[in-house]
Amino acid sequence: MNGGADFSQDRLQCHVLSIGLLGPGLPNWNVAQSILSGEQKYQWADFEIPAVTCLPPTERRRVGKMVRLALTVGNAAVQAAAIDAHQLATVFTSSSGDGDNCDAIFTTLAHTEKSERFISPTRFHNSVHNAPAGYWSIANQCALPSTSLCAYDASFAVGLMEACSQALWTGESILLISSDVMYPYPLSDVRPMSSNFAVAMVLNAAANDAALAKLTLRYATELETRMEMREFDELRLSNPSARCLPLLQVIARNALHSYRAVPRQIHLEYVEPLTLEVVVD
């Protein structure tokens, strides 16, 4: 046992202190709460991924959509939790990484002239899966541990389980960031996504006055939860990171309608044949 955590049970518990969100028609968590809880109508709307002003100018020029998307939601979650990012360990998860960068590398390597098959060092280091974690550490001068994961369409649920485990083990807050960007053609034929999407959560084993929800996680074999509204379920399936939407909808309903006395249970896509059961209080 460490940090007050008890791993003797077959389930884990942690608290959501804040959420950052950016997706089509969901420009931030405050707006998303109203939409997901049914108070405001949802309408799909494409969006531009903002520039990241928290990076030094040299690094800012080098980053692509993947890094900008991850850092945008991460900064939103940290600001909402009123926690210094310098003090947060992180878990980054993504099903795909930076597709634009991979496409450029593949195109270079496929060149018929050997002399043209030159890949710049910047292009190479931006291609690794933990590139967003590296830029996050630079932006926030954070030297605390960081984990980068990939589990295909289960990436969000795997990241949530990992972040919850670390929060319990250390007794400290931790930042989870899940993000996926659309692949360019021809990679999009192999790995189609119809939107960019990212979510971030600050988690802690202990609650504070502003905590949004308590999550109880365990492995299960029930089918993943689908969303009642067709538009939401299409969005959920449009991007692996959007698999978080059933969980976010329950949190939004709890927060705006005081359903806190009624636990809500959902199942997130996990590594087959399992799903991740999440009870929200």
Side-chain angles (χ1 to χ4, degrees), residues 218-225 265 267-268 273-277:
R218 76 176 184 92
Y219 298 124
T221 56
E222 286 81 353
L223 296 176
E224 64 190 270
T225 301
Q265 183 184 85
H267 292 86
L268 298 174
L274 300 175
T275 54
L276 182 64
E277 179 185 286

Side-chain angles (χ1 to χ4, degrees), residues 33-34 36-39 251-260:
Q33 279 190 99
S34 297
L36 292 170
S37 64
E39 292 191 344
I251 294 175
R253 287 174 171 173
N254 283 358
L256 296 184
H257 300 298
S258 300
Y259 288 161
R260 294 181 184 278

Side-chain angles (χ1 to χ4, degrees), residues 210-230:
L212 300 172
K214 181 177 77 174
L215 309 182
T216 302
L217 314 179
R218 76 176 184 92
Y219 298 124
T221 56
E222 286 81 353
L223 296 176
E224 64 190 270
T225 301
R226 299 183 181 279
M227 306 189 74
E228 296 174 358
M229 283 186 56
R230 176 180 56 81

Side-chain angles (χ1 to χ4, degrees), residues 92-197:
F92 286 77
T93 186
S94 172
S95 79
S96 310
D98 189 336
D100 289 328
N101 200 57
C102 290
D103 179 66
I105 291 175
F106 295 157
T107 300
T108 300
L109 294 177
H111 205 285
T112 55
E113 297 295 331
K114 186 176 180 179
S115 60
E116 299 296 327
R117 298 175 197 158
F118 172 76
I119 299 173
S120 74
T122 299
R123 180 72 72 189
F124 175 76
H125 83 239
N126 278 345
S127 71
V128 298
H129 196 66
N130 64 350
Y135 283 111
W136 175 268
S137 298
I138 293 171
N140 295 290
Q141 298 182 350
C142 180
L144 291 179
S146 182
T147 304
S148 294
L149 300 172
C150 175
Y152 202 57
D153 287 345
S155 293
F156 170 75
V158 169
L160 178 61
M161 179 61 91
E162 173 66 21
C164 182
S165 300
Q166 292 194 31
L168 287 168
W169 180 254
T170 63
E172 303 290 338
S173 293
I174 190 166
L175 174 64
L176 166 67
I177 298 179
S178 178
S179 57
D180 281 289
V181 296
M182 294 183 290
Y183 273 6
Y185 178 82
L187 294 176
S188 57
D189 277 358
V190 180
R191 182 60 165 156
M193 284 183 250
S194 54
S195 71
N196 300 318
F197 194 98

Side-chain angles (χ1 to χ4, degrees), residues 26-40:
L26 303 174
N28 55 59
W29 173 237
N30 287 334
V31 172
Q33 279 190 99
S34 297
I35 293 173
L36 292 170
S37 64
E39 292 191 344
Q40 184 176 334

Side-chain angles (χ1 to χ4, degrees), residues 235-249:
L235 178 59
R236 179 182 70 87
L237 296 172
S238 72
N239 182 299
S241 287
R243 301 296 201 277
C244 67
L245 283 172
L247 172 59
L248 299 190
Q249 186 173 51

